[in-house]
Amino acid sequence: MSNKMWGGRFGAGPGAIMKQINQSISFDQRLYQQDIAGSKAHCAMLAATKIILQQDADKIMVGLDQVFAEIEDGNFSFSEDLEDIHMNVESRLTEILGSVAGRLHTARSRNDQVATDFKLYVREACDHIDGQLAELQMALAKKAERYADAVMPGFTHLQTAQPVTFGHHMMAYVEMFARDRSRFSDARTRMNESPLGAAALAGTSFPIDREMTAKALGFDRPTANSLDSVSDRDFALETLSAATISGVHLSRLAEEIVVWCSAGFKFISLSDAYTTGSSIMPQKRNPDAAELVRAKAGRVAASFSGLVMVMKGLPLAYSKDMQEDKEATFDALDNFSLMLAAMSGMVDDMTPDRDRLEQAAGQGFSTATDIADWLVRVLGMPFRDAHHVTGSIVALAEGQDKMLHELSLDEMQQVEKQITEDIFTVLSVQSSSQSRTSYGGTSPTNVKKMAQGWIKRLEKEGKPV
C-alpha cells in the first residue's frame, strides 16, 4: 500500500529497511510544540489572505489544539510509518477533521516546515543556554567576591609563575563565559529569520504573507531566498560551534577542579553532592561530575564536527542527508545544558583551602618578578638587567634550598650590592598580589570590584534558567 501522505506517485509502500532508515519520528517528535506553533501561524495566514475559508481555518485551529493536548497528556500514538512529526500531526488532524485538514498544507512543504520547526527549537535552546551561562557566571562571581583575597599560585606551563588570587582565577572564567554568551546571542540574531513560506524550494504561487507568519512566530523577518531557506543549517552549526567553544571552557575548568581536588594539590574540596566513592578503596572521593563535564565537551565537539561533515557536500536545496542534523544537535544541546548545570553546582559547592593555597603560592620562587620590578622601580635598573640579577638571586636561593624571603640581605647584596632592606616588602605573596593594581590585575581590590560589578549586572539581567 502506498503512503497516503505522499500521494499517488508510489504504488507500493517502502520496505522494512527503508522504513527504518527513513523515519525520524523516534527523535523529532520532540519538535511537536514548534510544529504545531508553525502550523497555527500558517493556518491563520492562509485565512487572512483568503487562501482558505475562515471557517475551515477555525476548525483546523481547534484540531491542532486537540493534537497538542493529546501529545502533552501522553495520549498520542506516534507512528514510524508516518516518518516524522509533521506527517504524524497531519495524519491525526485528518482523523479528527476529515478532508478539511488537508487545506493546512496549502502553500507549504515539509522542507520549509522542518526548517522552521528546527530553527524555533534551536532558538529556544539558545535562550535557555544563555540563562544557564548567566547562572554559572553568578556562581563564579560570588565565589570570586568571597575569595577575592585568597592568594594562590598562578601557573604557566603548569609551573608556578606568580601569585594570583582565587577570586581572580574565578573571574577569568566569568569573562570566558561572557564571550560564550555573546556567541550564542550572535547566533540567535542571525538565525531569527523565518523559512516558512519558502515551500519545497521555489516559493509558492499562492498570495501568502510571509511577514505575517514571521511576526507570529517571533522572527525578525522572513528569509530572502527560498533555496537558501530550506537548505540552510548554518543556525544549527553556529549554535553547535558556540557550544563547542563554551564546552572547551567548561572542560578547562573541569580539569582544574580535578587537579585541585587531587592529593598533590588539595586546593579545594567538593561535597558528597558532586563526588563518588570507590567500590574497593574506601578512602577515595572522586570528582566524577567534573570528569564527566570534561568528557562531554568532546561529545559536543563531535556533534559539531559530524554536522559539518553532513553539510559539506550537499548541493542546493534539500537532501535527506539533512535529517541527520537533529539527533546530533539534540544530543549536543542536551548534554551541554547538563554540563552547565553540573558546573554551576560544583562552583557553588566547592570550598577553597585558604591556607593550602597560600602555602602553594609561595613555592617555586613565585615572587621573583616582584624582585625584578623592585630593582627597576627603586634602583632604576633596566628591566633586562633586573631580570638577570633576579635570576642570579633565584639560583642562589635554589642552591641553598631556601625560599626567596628566607635569603638574608647580605646574601642578596652579594648578587647586587645596591639592594636594601626595603626589598623584603615585595617578597610575600600577599604583597605581590596586592601590588597588581593595573586594570584587569589580580589585586584583591580589583577582583572584588569586578566581581561585585558582574553580580549587579547579572542581577539586573534577571535571566531565567
Side-chain angles (χ1 to χ4, degrees):
M1 180 184 295
S2 65
N3 188 317
K4 64 181 179 179
M5 306 301 285
W6 290 348
R9 172 66 178 84
F10 290 82
I17 296 300
M18 181 59 193
K19 280 186 183 180
Q20 186 176 352
I21 196 171
N22 196 46
Q23 70 82 26
S24 60
I25 190 61
S26 59
F27 51 85
D28 72 12
Q29 62 183 261
R30 71 162 68 188
L31 296 176
Y32 73 90
Q33 294 181 1
Q34 292 78 17
D35 193 70
I36 291 174
S39 289
K40 294 181 79 169
H42 185 67
C43 180
M45 181 275 296
L46 291 176
T49 54
K50 303 188 185 308
I51 295 172
I52 67 173
L53 297 174
Q54 184 63 56
Q55 63 192 48
D56 288 341
D58 292 340
K59 292 177 182 177
I60 290 170
M61 289 291 199
V62 172
L64 287 170
D65 286 337
Q66 181 177 334
V67 174
F68 182 85
E70 289 175 1
I71 297 174
E72 287 277 286
D73 294 340
N75 297 323
F76 189 94
S77 179
F78 293 103
S79 170
E80 288 191 0
D81 288 338
L82 294 170
E83 295 184 25
D84 56 32
I85 185 61
H86 324 296
M87 291 171 72
N88 269 265
V89 169
E90 185 175 340
S91 176
R92 178 61 184 137
L93 189 66
T94 301
E95 290 175 355
I96 296 169
L97 299 179
S99 62
V100 70
R103 300 192 184 280
L104 176 60
H105 209 54
T106 307
R108 76 173 183 184
S109 161
R110 280 194 295 172
N111 292 354
D112 61 339
Q113 255 191 290
V114 68
T116 303
D117 292 359
F118 198 27
K119 264 196 180 181
L120 289 171
Y121 181 90
V122 174
R123 188 180 71 182
E124 290 169 18
C126 284
D127 292 340
H128 180 71
I129 285 167
D130 185 67
Q132 286 191 291
L133 282 166
E135 182 179 289
L136 177 53
Q137 285 183 295
M138 180 67 86
L140 288 160
K142 287 183 175 180
K143 195 69 69 173
E145 181 186 31
R146 182 174 179 182
Y147 293 95
D149 61 346
V151 184
M152 69 174 288
F155 299 98
T156 61
H157 310 278
L158 204 56
Q159 303 295 311
T160 301
Q162 293 176 275
V164 296
T165 65
F166 191 82
H168 193 56
H169 204 111
M170 295 294 98
M171 290 305 297
Y173 284 101
V174 172
E175 296 297 326
M176 289 187 202
F177 294 122
R179 295 194 296 274
D180 293 337
R181 290 181 68 190
S182 72
R183 275 182 278 270
F184 280 105
S185 177
D186 288 347
R188 190 196 192 284
T189 297
R190 268 184 290 279
M191 78 175 69
N192 209 34
E193 296 182 342
S194 173
L196 193 58
L201 76 161
T204 178
S205 59
F206 289 96
I208 62 173
D209 184 346
R210 294 190 64 208
E211 293 283 353
M212 179 181 175
T213 52
K215 182 178 180 181
L217 294 170
F219 289 108
D220 294 329
R221 64 192 69 84
T223 50
N225 183 282
S226 59
L227 281 168
D228 179 54
S229 301
V230 299
S231 62
D232 166 44
R233 291 299 183 270
D234 290 1
F235 61 92
L237 285 169
E238 193 169 3
T239 300
L240 292 184
S241 173
T244 297
I245 295 171
S246 189
V248 168
H249 295 155
L250 288 168
S251 185
R252 294 180 74 178
L253 180 52
E255 168 69 5
E256 294 198 303
I257 290 173
V258 170
V259 170
W260 291 347
C261 285
S262 68
F265 280 76
K266 295 183 179 178
F267 283 1
I268 65 169
S269 60
L270 289 171
S271 74
D272 294 351
Y274 292 94
T275 57
T276 65
S278 166
S279 63
I280 191 172
M281 296 170 284
Q283 81 280 11
K284 296 292 293 296
R285 183 188 289 274
N286 301 321
D288 282 6
E291 292 172 7
L292 287 166
V293 167
R294 187 174 59 186
K296 286 180 182 294
R299 185 167 172 174
V300 171
S303 293
F304 170 65
S305 298
L307 185 52
V308 168
M309 292 300 101
V310 167
M311 297 301 298
K312 71 175 182 62
L314 299 186
L316 296 181
Y318 181 83
S319 296
K320 195 69 170 183
D321 310 51
M322 292 163 69
Q323 184 167 289
E324 291 297 307
D325 57 1
K326 293 170 202 63
E327 283 184 286
T329 302
F330 294 159
D331 184 78
L333 296 181
D334 286 349
N335 279 280
F336 183 63
S337 179
L338 182 57
M339 290 162 66
L340 287 169
M343 186 55 74
S344 292
M346 281 187 286
V347 169
D348 186 61
D349 181 76
M350 67 184 179
T351 303
D353 186 329
R354 285 179 176 269
D355 293 339
R356 176 61 184 159
L357 288 170
E358 184 172 337
Q359 180 188 12
Q363 297 174 352
F365 310 108
S366 64
T367 56
T369 305
D370 296 276
I371 294 177
D373 289 348
W374 184 90
L375 293 170
V376 171
R377 188 174 61 252
V378 177
L379 302 185
M381 190 178 292
F383 184 80
R384 284 301 170 200
D385 294 342
H387 187 282
H388 179 77
V389 169
T390 301
S392 299
I393 292 173
V394 169
L396 179 65
E398 188 173 33
Q400 298 183 27
D401 197 23
K402 290 182 178 179
M403 306 286 280
L404 288 173
H405 69 273
E406 293 175 335
L407 289 173
S408 68
L409 179 60
D410 287 341
E411 288 171 322
M412 283 191 276
Q413 287 176 338
Q414 290 173 19
V415 177
E416 173 52 60
K417 63 182 180 181
Q418 297 184 74
I419 291 176
T420 67
E421 192 79 29
D422 183 65
I423 199 171
F424 288 98
T425 63
V426 302
L427 292 182
S428 73
V429 292
Q430 292 89 352
S431 62
S432 175
S433 66
Q434 290 166 7
S435 72
R436 308 294 169 178
T437 56
S438 60
Y439 182 77
T442 191
S443 76
T445 301
N446 278 5
V447 172
K448 183 160 285 191
K449 181 179 178 180
M450 294 296 289
Q452 290 173 344
W454 266 106
I455 290 169
K456 288 180 181 178
R457 177 176 166 182
L458 291 163
E459 286 175 341
K460 187 176 180 180
E461 287 179 5
K463 282 287 182 181
V465 179

